[in-house]
Amino acid sequence: MTDGPPDSGLSSPDALSAFLRRRSEQIAQRWADLPLFQAVFTVTRDEAVEASHAVVASLADVAAGGRLDDLEAAGFLPVRRQLIAMSGSRSRSGLSLAQVDREFGALRDAVLDMLSLDRAGQDERGGDDLRLPLATLFGTLRVVVVETMLQENQEVVLRQRQQLLEMTTPVIKLWDRLVAVPLIGMLDSARSQVVMENLLEAIVEHNATVAILDITGVPTVDSLVAQHLMKTVASARLMGAECVISGIRPAIAQTIVQLGLDLGHVTTRATLADALEWAMDQRGRRDRDPRPLG
């Protein structure tokens, strides 16, 4: 694309739009070599150039509409999609919000450099007139980048928390059709839910008829956690498995009594060894007598 004369007689947004269209090729070529585009579009450079062209064209449309600070402006939609995909990719690669923000700032600096070249030898005030709408335009885009990074980081934290919960609630196959969940550390409602889900999945996977919930390593429970444990026992029974809770500490026993929770229908044992002995006996009874256990 050939360079034309600087725009005159236009409003700042219109002049900015004209500048972006006139310098689209040069800006796209510069952006394609910057980390934000280069790291995302790794197959070919042409792919990065094409994506850069699309972003510049959309920004020119936004500027032409004059709604530089309105994220709901029609032209911002494709830009938002592209930036969300790119900043999300960089976040998943391990970059911090500050690092991605610097990479985004390099896009703005490249356009400012191009603006300086475009206005070289011209009235400096004309160049300054475009710097303000340009700053507004990129300031609006920066909001998109920051929001995307914060959301991506939050999703990463949630995924890591879920993975940690699953790692700290393993289901162990002790014997044929016998599984156990040894719990250590604090139990909350979220972790109790993971315990239930993992146990039920293990019952199906191993065709288990007996399950042990060992809470020897749990210092205390509240009413919600206690109710989750009872629901876990009930759910296991619906899946065809008998469930026993072992290792209830004195403090936990007192809490359960004070809360008025009825564990009369829940089988409990003092230690894991006692629970294992009970479980092996239950398995033997099931093998000898296929009728439901009373």
Side-chain angles (χ1 to χ4, degrees):
M1 181 179 297
T2 58
D3 297 340
D7 305 286
S8 58
L10 298 175
S11 65
S12 293
D14 288 336
L16 177 59
S17 177
F19 160 73
L20 291 173
R21 297 186 193 282
R22 186 172 61 254
R23 290 288 187 176
S24 175
E25 179 63 30
Q26 292 94 328
I27 294 174
Q29 293 291 338
R30 289 281 298 274
W31 280 4
D33 293 326
L34 293 177
L36 188 58
F37 278 89
Q38 197 175 52
V40 175
F41 300 96
T42 58
V43 179
T44 64
R45 186 177 182 277
D46 290 342
E47 187 181 17
V49 173
E50 182 180 353
S52 300
H53 268 300
V55 173
V56 175
S58 295
L59 293 181
D61 291 340
V62 172
R67 298 164 61 184
L68 304 179
D69 57 353
D70 184 4
L71 282 173
E72 301 304 318
F76 269 129
L77 181 58
V79 180
R80 284 170 61 93
R81 289 173 177 168
Q82 185 66 67
L83 288 180
I84 287 172
M86 293 169 62
S87 56
S89 174
R90 298 300 278 152
S91 175
R92 289 188 292 273
S93 298
L95 270 69
S96 66
L97 173 59
Q99 289 172 312
V100 176
D101 189 43
R102 283 196 294 271
E103 290 186 353
F104 174 75
L107 303 183
R108 176 201 58 216
D109 294 341
V111 178
L112 286 173
D113 290 344
M114 197 65 61
L115 179 62
S116 297
L117 292 175
D118 196 68
R119 297 294 174 174
Q122 303 298 323
D123 181 5
E124 291 187 0
R125 187 175 59 183
D128 291 339
D129 286 344
L130 290 189
R131 288 179 182 274
L132 179 58
L134 188 62
T136 302
L137 182 62
F138 274 86
T140 306
L141 291 179
R142 186 174 182 272
V143 173
V144 177
V145 173
V146 172
E147 286 181 345
T148 303
M149 287 294 296
L150 291 176
Q151 181 179 355
E152 186 67 32
N153 289 341
Q154 184 179 18
E155 291 175 355
V156 169
V157 170
L158 290 176
R159 286 197 299 270
Q160 291 175 340
R161 184 171 186 268
Q162 182 66 24
Q163 292 171 355
L164 181 60
L165 286 174
E166 293 175 355
M167 290 174 59
T168 56
T169 55
V171 180
I172 303 171
K173 181 181 179 181
L174 296 179
W175 204 266
D176 182 38
R177 291 178 294 164
L178 171 57
V179 297
V181 184
L183 297 175
I184 300 175
M186 294 298 297
L187 273 179
D188 57 16
S189 296
R191 190 180 178 199
S192 299
Q193 181 65 32
V194 172
V195 170
M196 180 188 297
E197 293 173 356
N198 288 355
L199 179 59
L200 297 182
E201 289 176 1
I203 289 173
V204 174
E205 179 181 356
H206 301 295
N207 194 26
T209 57
V210 182
I212 299 174
L213 275 176
D214 182 66
I215 61 173
T216 304
V218 177
T220 185
V221 300
D222 58 21
S223 59
L224 289 177
V225 171
Q227 290 172 6
H228 267 293
L229 292 177
M230 289 189 289
K231 290 179 180 178
T232 300
V233 173
S235 298
R237 284 176 176 166
L238 290 175
M239 299 292 293
E242 287 296 319
C243 192
V244 57
I245 299 178
S246 64
I248 298 179
R249 293 168 175 259
I252 295 178
Q254 292 177 10
T255 299
I256 291 175
V257 172
Q258 291 171 358
L259 292 172
L261 299 175
D262 181 16
L263 295 185
H265 63 287
V266 178
T267 303
T268 61
R269 290 295 184 271
T271 66
L272 178 58
D274 294 336
L276 182 58
E277 182 180 356
W278 175 90
M280 295 301 290
D281 181 62
Q282 295 298 95
R283 284 189 65 258
R285 290 177 60 190
R286 279 180 176 265
D287 290 340
R288 292 190 302 270
D289 186 356
R291 292 174 299 173
L293 295 173

